[in-house]
Amino acid sequence: MTLLLPDATGALRPYEPRTEPLALTTGAPFTSRTVYSAAHVVADPFADVSPDSPAAVDWDATLAFRRHLWSHGLGVAEAMDTAQRGMGLDWAGAAELIRRSAAEAKAVGGRVACGVGTDQLTAGATLAEVRAAYEEQLALVEASGARSILMASRALAAAATGPEDYLHVYGHLLRQSAEPVILHWLGPMFDPALDGYWGSSDLDAATDTFLEVIAAHPDKVEGIKVSLLDAGREIDIRRRLPRGVRCYTGDDFNYPELIAGDEQGFSHALLGIFDPLGPLAAEAVRVLDTGNVTGFRELLDPTVELSRHLFQTPTRFYKTGVVFLAWLAGHQSHFTMVGGLQSARSLPHFARAYELADGLGLFPDPKLAEERMKNLLSLYGVNQ
């Protein structure tokens, strides 16, 4: 069966879908890298809500997807950007997600780390209010038994007047955290409100402040997640970290080379792209565990074109492609997102995402993916 898919110009061209998926199975735990998938949430398609309403989540399908990731050995980075944190999922929804996901992780023996932010605040928050909001969320995550990820805060970016405010707020949080945390630097390509984070739009100056926070509290920082889409900068930061502090790449453009590493070190991973790539990424890391860097790259390098497509500008809408692929893969019964974000990408974008993912063999049931793609095309008026 040949599908007619629209390209970037709007012209229809034929595509012959794959008939067999990659043969990917579950396996032994990873030994050389710690790998988290930042997982999406599944919306309740029957909820009578608008894009401005609090998120209506299908909890059963959301947790089933996390069990899928855990079954392949991946950790779950919960309530992060990929879960539409601050883009459809508010703090009340994120808190419930954290509680449920942490409990499920305990039940099945899965690894989970959860985002700590300040998204319960409204505009115009003071530094004291930012600190209190962080404290509230940190307490909830610690009570759940999960590892904490201190996320970048829009409220802190708005309230801070310079690097000293970041040093003060983060220093306070690290001193009181019960366990070492992961620090997250999310670049403005993912969230424009985070421009100038760490007190400067000059990335060299911002990097120095970021590293100063870590150097002052190395015993309270388990690792850092860098999401700047700049491999060279991540490598520079990685080499300057205190001994024992891990670097988790959040670079969805350059992850194979960063995870593979070099003679001076490597990055672990905490990636949104490992939501749709979960089983394939797990297979690649197990190959890397054997010391076979070439085999690892041969599996993972071909996925970069898909990742760069999903994360193309405006990068913050990559979640739409992630959920679209989860629907095609059969992990959920519908293509509906909290906040109505399924409308954030175009039909040509979806068509190319389908083509790239199908070519990689990512769909467990290629026929199901083909039928669902045909249904989407029909809704847009493309008759096969």
Side-chain angles (χ1 to χ4, degrees), residues 119-270:
D119 44 329
Q120 67 270 53
L121 296 176
T122 57
T126 66
L127 283 177
E129 290 169 333
V130 169
R131 192 175 70 184
Y134 265 130
E135 290 173 338
E136 177 190 355
Q137 297 199 15
L138 180 62
L140 185 145
V141 172
E142 290 183 341
S144 78
R147 183 173 296 281
S148 299
I149 304 171
L150 291 188
M151 302 167 64
S153 163
R154 294 173 181 172
L156 179 54
T161 59
E164 63 282 353
D165 288 335
Y166 290 89
L167 294 170
H168 166 72
V169 171
Y170 277 93
H172 175 85
L173 295 170
L174 290 173
R175 283 190 296 272
Q176 74 172 46
S177 63
E179 299 290 340
V181 307
I182 298 173
L183 295 182
H184 185 192
W185 184 359
L186 190 70
M189 67 290 294
F190 289 95
D191 187 343
L194 299 177
D195 187 32
Y197 212 72
W198 304 111
S200 178
S201 294
D202 181 315
L203 287 180
D204 290 336
T207 297
D208 288 343
T209 302
F210 181 51
L211 290 170
E212 186 176 347
V213 169
I214 299 164
H217 309 276
D219 58 323
K220 287 298 187 75
V221 181
E222 185 271 336
I224 64 167
K225 168 176 158 59
V226 183
S227 299
L228 298 176
L229 304 183
D230 183 338
R233 185 165 297 277
E234 178 175 324
I235 291 170
D236 173 67
I237 293 172
R238 186 173 76 194
R239 291 175 178 172
R240 295 167 65 186
L241 290 174
R243 183 179 296 276
V245 176
R246 294 177 170 181
C247 180
Y248 291 92
T249 186
D251 188 331
D252 300 278
F253 282 6
N254 304 292
Y255 50 94
E257 65 184 86
L258 291 165
I259 298 170
D262 55 31
E263 66 283 353
Q264 297 186 51
F266 57 82
S267 295
H268 299 270
L270 199 166

Side-chain angles (χ1 to χ4, degrees), residues 314-354:
T315 303
R316 64 187 180 278
F317 294 129
Y318 76 88
K319 299 93 162 172
T320 300
V322 165
V323 176
F324 169 66
L325 293 181
W327 172 56
L328 293 185
H331 294 300
Q332 55 193 79
S333 62
H334 58 86
F335 180 36
T336 305
M337 298 176 67
V338 298
L341 208 63
Q342 67 272 11
S343 65
R345 293 294 200 189
S346 68
L347 183 61
H349 181 90
F350 293 137
R352 184 59 177 157
Y354 164 73

